[in-house]
Amino acid sequence: MTIEERFNEIVEKQQGDAIIPFLQGLTPEERKSLVSCLNKQEEHYNKFVQLEPNTYGTRATPEQHRILNLTAFVIYSQKEYSKYYWGINVERLNELISWHVPTWLNSFFKESERKDSRNFYNMDYEILMDWLEQGVLKVSPTPQTIAGYLVNYINTTSILQKREITLKEHIWYLFEYDCGQNWMDSRNGGSPYYPYRYLIENGLLNRMRVLKESLLAVNRNMNKNLCSWFAGMFEALAPSVEEQLELQPELFAVLSCPHSRPTNIILKLLKNLCSHPQFPTEEFLNQTSVLFTSDVKAVHQNTLAILNKLAKERKEYRDAICCAAAQGLMSREESIQSKIVKLIQTYGDTESATLKEALSVYVDTMLTGIKQELKPYLEGSSSDITPANPTINNASFISESYEPIPPIISEENRIPEITSTEDLIFLASQVLEVNEVYHFEQFISSLIQWDAQLEAGQVPQWTPIFQRAYKLILSGGNSRTGILDDMMATFLVDYSKLLIRRFPEEGKELKVLHEKMVQKDEVQRGQWRFCNLQSLTIRKKRNKQIEHRVHRQLLCHTLDMLESNKPRLPLLSTPTHIPMFIDPAILIQRLKQYQQADVEPNSQDMQIALSRTVLDETTAQLLSTITQELEGEYRNLLLFLFGEKESAPQSPFTHPAWWMTAGLIKSPETVYPEFKDFPYNESPREFLTGNFAWKTYLESHSYIDYTKKVVEWTSSTISIHLPEGQNVRIINKGKNNERAEYHPHTPHPLLVEIYYPQGKYFDDISKDLPRLLWLAPNTPEPLLAWCICQAIYDPMLNEVREVNVTRTTIETFHQFRHTWHEISYLLEASCMLVADKTSRAYAAEIWIERANKGCIDSSRIGRILGSHQNTGWGPLKRLTDLIQQQMMNVSPLHNRELEKLLTAMLAELPEKPVKDLKKLLEIYAEILSINNSKAEDERVLRLLDVWKGVANLKKAVMNIKC
């Protein structure tokens, strides 16, 4: 029996006990000769196959995997081993190290460290140290690697004391690297920092070094929870005054930490330390500029407490202390500003020029009442608040005129045109990079225009483009690519086949590339990565969870055009101005080309074009051009869309989908009698307009914890009512994950019926979402409702998927120019309360811009916010912080709009005070004061009468009513 036959027998019969003696008996030459045999066994046994119905896995049993793995350690080089294995199973390698250590183990270990991939499975600190002591591993691990393994033993003091180097050197690495120390500490039976306390008490660790390292760790760029954990360690060790004085440089460094909890821990310690003669007052005053930039109220409070104590005890610094405290006036918190006023009035000098100058910087952020209290300290300064004519009402300065909306159709917004085949090839090289949202449509439209002009000599220039397409299909692309890019890559493969047929000689390189990639894909047959590249085409749906039907239709239409002899007419939907708008004058010219060629446009292409066309006050000027240039249905369609709102559609209605889309764009709330026979009217109209009914409601939850106790809680959820119909099936009806399966009535569906992503799971949808939303910027609300259902229904969702969908939606929404309806207002108001801070900032910016141009109903937003707060949808503090930081005092006009928003919101609140209502009332009082207004809404006045009986709201209510 040959060694190959014997090896195959051991594997096939799972003779695990025989494999090590077999390997020990091999000579170096026999090991080399066994490589090809092992390769075949690896490919055979590691292949994914169907083991049972609905069950898939590799052919090998666990024992066969062990036999193959042990053999690979002995006979493979590192390159050969890495071909079949991601990493090293430490337990299996330990079976061999008494007589064999792979020669490449050291380089594999260092490569694993360099990639930070942790490719040594079941490795721990004990095994690592044993390997180093036995000479199995002859390279020194990095401190980060050691810390990563040591942290698992941090609660095992016997292991920590086993080796001298552990406490002398290795344990200090835990203060330098993020290894999840805080999670391991939670497993020690409820005694935080127990190992450090134990080792210090027993004289095994230097107490001062532990204290110092815990402070230094806070600023070593670790995550927020770990920084807080290290600061907590310093606090838990209860440093004495003498120890704190010795560590003052490190203490003050923590004050610059970007996280609030470590800062507050140190500030609380400094409250007591600041009375000591050796406390560096000047250095602390220098730190206050950083402390007051924090948006955390507790940091400001603790800072002011220290300043008060210093001002009381150190008279020579009082002017400097008052100037430092003045920096806190950038906060719009009434309680903070009041404490600053009290400090300045107690210790400040009204004649101090430095104090006047310091205060003058913050006049714009001072609350109205605070300005009056500080008036003696501001008189004579450059920002003296005394009005030249105090009898003039502030409201008289407010201009009721709005800023004009900047035109979309302008030269600076024009998308550069593709004017040559060289431009086309350059664009093709970028189309998979997602550099611009319009590249997808621009490329396929330009390909239709310039494909016929491609010369044989230019075919090789497409090779790197197609290589990138194959790579994206086989490997899945990068973090920026989505399903649409996978579809574009598939389309490019189709186009490469077309070029091979058209240019047999010059396309040989493309043919070789395709065959090579097909062979590479065939190796994966039977595995999840297999793409079936041999038969892949854009005309056939791939086995993907998500389907984008509109873009697939556009790609198929483009491929049909390229393969036919029909006139090469431009896509109607190709955007002309950024981000994705179409100049109506250019749309007229494109339709004229179709009219002259007697070619019917693709239905979805036409609907997208109508949905992207700019409709503003200049559109009506094109009515005469339409009459002169177009005929028949084209002319009547555009006259209807571009005409006055009251203009009625004129038959013939040869293409109902076009007319229905135009009607939804022009006036979604209007049901045109001329369209009564269209099949689209059989569907629930909400799915066409996006005008869904909605509500916020409380949902009960419960679970059984580890003590078998039932834990119950409630959460608030947005529920969008999805009406049932003949073509609508509601899944999970009545639950928070309710969704609709919608099927168009006709083979010629409307764009708004099919531009939703199709599928059950949408983890990567944020990469495609901007291009989906820009399919119909004039009618986005059905898709906006879908986005709310997917990611914005719960204000506490802060997972990556939900954050990305929310942020992408509101960022794209920011650029739309459509007339808002209920779902747009719901999105805007809800994003002011979502968990993602960036999304909240976008929502505030949208409000600022639209309020400035007079195209937003602030009261409507307020009513929605009030409805949300009725059920506790979103912490109110998110909104009050947003108002103070971005929406307040933008301009007198914005303050008036903000008053409308707050009045409408307060009117919707329940009589029982919601959490943080006091802050909202303080903001409302301040806005009324700034606007020189009074609360006049009867519902608000009634609620104020109720709330004035609540102790902590009484002062805020009186400020509003006075």
Short mmCIF file of all heavy atoms in Angstrom, two decimals, residues 649 940-941:
data_model
loop_
_atom_site.label_atom_id
_atom_site.label_comp_id
_atom_site.label_asym_id
_atom_site.label_seq_id
_atom_site.Cartn_x
_atom_site.Cartn_y
_atom_site.Cartn_z
N PRO A 649 -56.86 67.37 -17.73
CA PRO A 649 -56.21 66.55 -18.75
C PRO A 649 -57.09 66.39 -19.99
O PRO A 649 -58.31 66.31 -19.88
CB PRO A 649 -56.00 65.20 -18.04
CG PRO A 649 -57.04 65.18 -16.97
CD PRO A 649 -57.24 66.59 -16.55
N VAL A 940 -53.37 75.94 25.03
CA VAL A 940 -52.13 76.12 25.77
C VAL A 940 -52.40 76.79 27.11
O VAL A 940 -51.86 76.39 28.15
CB VAL A 940 -51.12 76.94 24.93
CG1 VAL A 940 -49.87 77.27 25.77
CG2 VAL A 940 -50.72 76.18 23.67
N LEU A 941 -53.23 77.82 27.11
CA LEU A 941 -53.55 78.52 28.37
C LEU A 941 -54.22 77.58 29.37
O LEU A 941 -53.94 77.64 30.58
CB LEU A 941 -54.45 79.72 28.07
CG LEU A 941 -53.80 80.87 27.29
CD1 LEU A 941 -54.84 81.91 26.91
CD2 LEU A 941 -52.66 81.50 28.09
#
